[in-house]
Amino acid sequence: TAYHGPEDPGKRAATIQGQGLGIKNLKPLPASSPGESILFGSPPSNSALLSPPFARSPPSQTSYRQIEDPIREGHGDWQDDGPATENYQPFTADLETESLRKNTRAQTVQSFEPQEPWCKTKRKLHHGKGNWLAISVLVLSVYSTLLSGLWLGVGIAKPRFGHGITNTGSFPPATASLVSAAIAKTIELSFVTVFVTFLGQVLSRRALVKKSKGITIAEMSFRSWIMQPGTLITHWETVRYAALTFLGLISLLCAVTAMLYTTASDALVAPKLKMGALEQKMLYGHVASDFASYPYIKRKCKTPISENVDPEYSGSTCVALEHNGQAYHNYMQYLSNWTITRDRGVGSDQLSQRPIPLGMLYDNTTIEGSWIHMENMTETSQRYSPDDYPRIVMNVTMAMPHAGVFAATRNPINNIMQPQDLNGLGEYIVEASVPSPVTNVLCATMRKEDLAPMVYTDWPGSNGTASNLTGWPSGFDIPLWPSYLNSTPVDDLFGFGE
């Protein structure tokens, strides 16, 4: 191997004999002048295996001058003024073996050293407050702070948007969710941008400030934690070394916050359906007649048989058919629910444990009633039973919601959002202080002698025949209310007599 050293350019190159596989001695190189560079060539293709001569002509002596950097506060740096003579030359290196050579032509590798004098910086490292970068970072900081504070307030207060976000309002629910997600994303991006800028400023100052300890490679990965949170797992070694520092903890917290901010915004800020608290409100409705007015119901009953065809029974027949059909449907639904309760093994002989009464309104609304005035029927039966006869008493009272409440809640004048305003997913609960229709069924078993005071032909002194009812009440010796002269064993139970 031949080497031309820089110590004494006037000396001839030394010749070293190498011992080993395919090492071939080279002839001594001719002498060269101090300003002359040497170009190494490849050996012939038929020559033995040679070690490649990775060498080149060294640069001439280079002069340096000391400069002052105001950013580093007095630190002296050395700037290269460039080589005295530009004598960098490419060299040719051959492969080690002929068999591994893919290209028989010589390969030329140029030097990585600069061919021209060093390039001087054109701008300072320090930028003033009026720079566009500083202004943009300030604007992003203000935007991120204000919007994130607003988002936090909305998440804590959880305001009700009312009719503002409905299918018929100014903001449909789908659009509101999209806008909320977009704003949350801009808050996240602006926050990450500002924090990464702050992180770069801190690390740069640590690297340039006088008497600073500098920065570590682990601290240089803070930016990757925020921009690529997956590096917290793939490069956990840096997390172990840098996460326990103050700046590392802040960077780790920022990475987790930026990663979960959009998800948290969707869960806490985006508009969602939620049942609110009860509110006191006066409801208004249209009134056309008294409650359960039978004449009005007859006039409004839908029937093809008009009053001109059947003026006497047209309305009453229609109402009877309608009530029978609705009662049959409600009864079958109630029995079905009772069967399900029995099959589950949760049936009971207590009235409070029985299925609630059901009803249909307008053929599309289910009404659930309730059992009221419940009492122990066993004790009631014993109280009204004589010593020689065990009487059975059944007293059941059922209350149903007022139909006018349903009509009032759907009246636009009351300004209540309906399920169809929220894509069919909304609901509301109304507790109204109004009279409710009540149905009471009171039954008791009685003997013939218990009913005798109520049968005219069984009265004392009766001839066994009934008088003509067309003469009522004249021609009858029956006392009128409230001075009934007769009494029964169940007067207190049914409220008979005075």
Side-chain angles (χ1 to χ4, degrees):
T1 304
Y3 174 76
H4 182 60
E7 290 83 1
D8 189 1
K11 292 184 179 181
R12 293 183 178 272
T15 303
I16 304 175
Q17 293 183 356
Q19 303 296 329
L21 178 61
I23 303 300
K24 182 179 180 180
N25 296 331
L26 297 178
K27 296 179 180 181
L29 296 175
S32 59
S33 61
E36 180 182 359
S37 61
I38 299 176
L39 179 65
F40 292 88
S42 301
S45 60
N46 57 357
S47 62
L49 178 64
L50 298 178
S51 297
F54 291 93
R56 58 176 178 163
S57 175
S60 301
Q61 296 182 356
T62 306
S63 61
Y64 296 86
R65 59 183 177 89
Q66 190 175 9
I67 62 173
E68 297 293 336
D69 189 352
I71 299 300
R72 301 190 56 168
E73 301 177 11
H75 278 260
D77 291 338
W78 294 93
Q79 178 175 339
D80 186 6
D81 283 341
T85 58
E86 300 178 3
N87 56 356
Y88 294 96
Q89 300 293 337
F91 66 89
T92 304
D94 200 0
L95 297 178
E96 293 185 355
T97 60
E98 184 69 24
S99 59
L100 297 178
R101 186 181 305 150
K102 297 182 179 180
N103 189 359
T104 58
R105 294 182 300 175
Q107 298 181 359
T108 302
V109 181
Q110 294 185 356
S111 172
F112 291 100
E113 297 293 339
Q115 301 299 325
E116 298 179 359
W118 293 96
C119 179
K120 299 180 180 180
T121 58
K122 298 180 180 179
R123 292 180 296 180
K124 297 181 179 180
L125 296 177
H126 180 265
H127 297 282
K129 297 181 180 179
N131 184 266
W132 69 269
L133 180 59
I135 296 176
S136 61
V137 171
L138 179 61
V139 172
L140 290 177
S141 301
V142 173
Y143 175 83
S144 177
T145 303
L146 295 180
L147 266 294
S148 60
L150 176 63
W151 243 230
L152 178 62
V154 172
I156 295 176
K158 300 184 184 303
R160 296 180 61 85
F161 298 99
H163 291 272
I165 301 180
T166 58
N167 291 337
T168 58
S170 57
F171 242 35
T175 305
S177 299
L178 179 61
V179 172
S180 174
I183 296 177
K185 196 63 178 179
T186 59
I187 297 174
E188 174 188 337
L189 294 177
S190 60
F191 168 71
V192 169
T193 303
V194 172
F195 188 84
V196 169
T197 305
F198 158 77
L199 197 62
Q201 293 289 333
V202 173
L203 295 179
S204 299
R205 181 175 180 81
R206 284 187 180 181
L208 298 176
V209 73
K210 184 177 181 181
K211 296 181 181 181
S212 174
K213 296 181 180 179
I215 60 175
T216 63
I217 297 178
E219 291 175 338
M220 295 175 63
S221 62
F222 288 163
R223 179 179 180 273
S224 300
W225 294 2
I226 302 171
M227 305 300 294
Q228 299 173 341
T231 56
L232 294 172
I233 300 175
T234 58
H235 297 78
W236 59 271
E237 298 88 352
T238 60
V239 180
R240 181 179 60 180
Y241 287 108
L244 297 181
T245 63
F246 179 74
L247 188 59
L249 289 176
I250 296 178
S251 301
L252 186 61
L253 179 62
C254 175
V256 175
T257 303
M259 183 171 52
L260 301 179
Y261 190 83
T262 304
T263 304
S265 173
D266 182 69
L268 300 177
V269 180
K272 289 181 175 60
L273 294 177
K274 183 180 179 181
M275 188 66 68
L278 292 177
E279 302 176 3
Q280 296 288 341
K281 188 173 184 178
M282 179 69 71
L283 298 182
Y284 300 90
H286 299 290
V287 178
S289 67
D290 296 337
F291 181 78
S293 174
Y294 185 70
Y296 179 80
I297 296 176
K298 286 196 305 181
R299 291 197 306 268
K300 294 297 181 180
C301 188
K302 306 299 181 182
T303 175
I305 303 176
S306 62
E307 294 182 356
N308 296 330
V309 178
D310 189 356
E312 184 175 358
Y313 299 105
S314 173
S316 59
T317 304
C318 177
V319 172
L321 293 175
E322 182 179 4
H323 288 178
N324 289 336
Q326 292 179 351
Y328 175 78
H329 179 273
N330 298 339
Y331 182 67
M332 294 304 298
Q333 184 66 34
Y334 180 77
L335 292 182
S336 176
N337 294 343
W338 201 344
T339 302
I340 295 175
T341 303
R342 182 206 61 188
D343 295 341
R344 292 178 178 175
V346 294
S348 175
D349 57 353
Q350 299 296 323
L351 181 61
S352 59
Q353 302 299 326
R354 291 182 183 179
I356 58 176
L358 300 174
M360 289 294 295
L361 184 64
Y362 307 131
D363 295 331
N364 58 2
T365 304
T366 302
I367 297 178
E368 297 180 354
S370 58
W371 305 112
I372 62 175
H373 301 163
M374 291 179 290
E375 55 182 320
N376 192 325
M377 291 295 98
T378 302
E379 296 179 358
T380 303
S381 299
Q382 293 176 355
R383 185 167 61 250
Y384 293 101
S385 298
D387 297 337
D388 57 344
Y389 177 68
R391 195 183 309 280
I392 299 176
V393 178
M394 180 63 65
N395 187 7
V396 179
T397 305
M398 176 189 69
M400 300 297 290
H402 198 293
V405 175
F406 177 79
T409 56
R410 299 186 62 87
N411 196 322
I413 194 176
N414 294 312
N415 199 26
I416 298 177
M417 283 193 299
Q418 303 301 319
Q420 58 269 20
D421 295 336
L422 301 171
N423 295 329
L425 302 177
E427 63 179 23
Y428 52 84
I429 298 175
V430 178
E431 297 180 1
S433 299
V434 294
S436 298
V438 175
T439 301
N440 176 258
V441 177
L442 177 60
C443 303
T445 58
M446 300 181 67
R447 297 171 297 183
K448 182 178 180 180
E449 54 269 25
D450 296 334
L451 294 175
M454 303 178 67
V455 180
Y456 178 74
T457 55
D458 292 339
W459 281 11
S462 173
N463 56 9
T465 59
S467 302
N468 189 359
L469 296 179
T470 57
W472 175 266
S474 60
F476 288 84
D477 54 354
I478 300 176
L480 300 178
W481 181 87
S483 300
Y484 293 120
L485 300 178
N486 55 348
S487 63
T488 65
V490 292
D491 283 355
D492 294 338
L493 177 62
F494 290 98
F496 296 156
E498 298 183 5

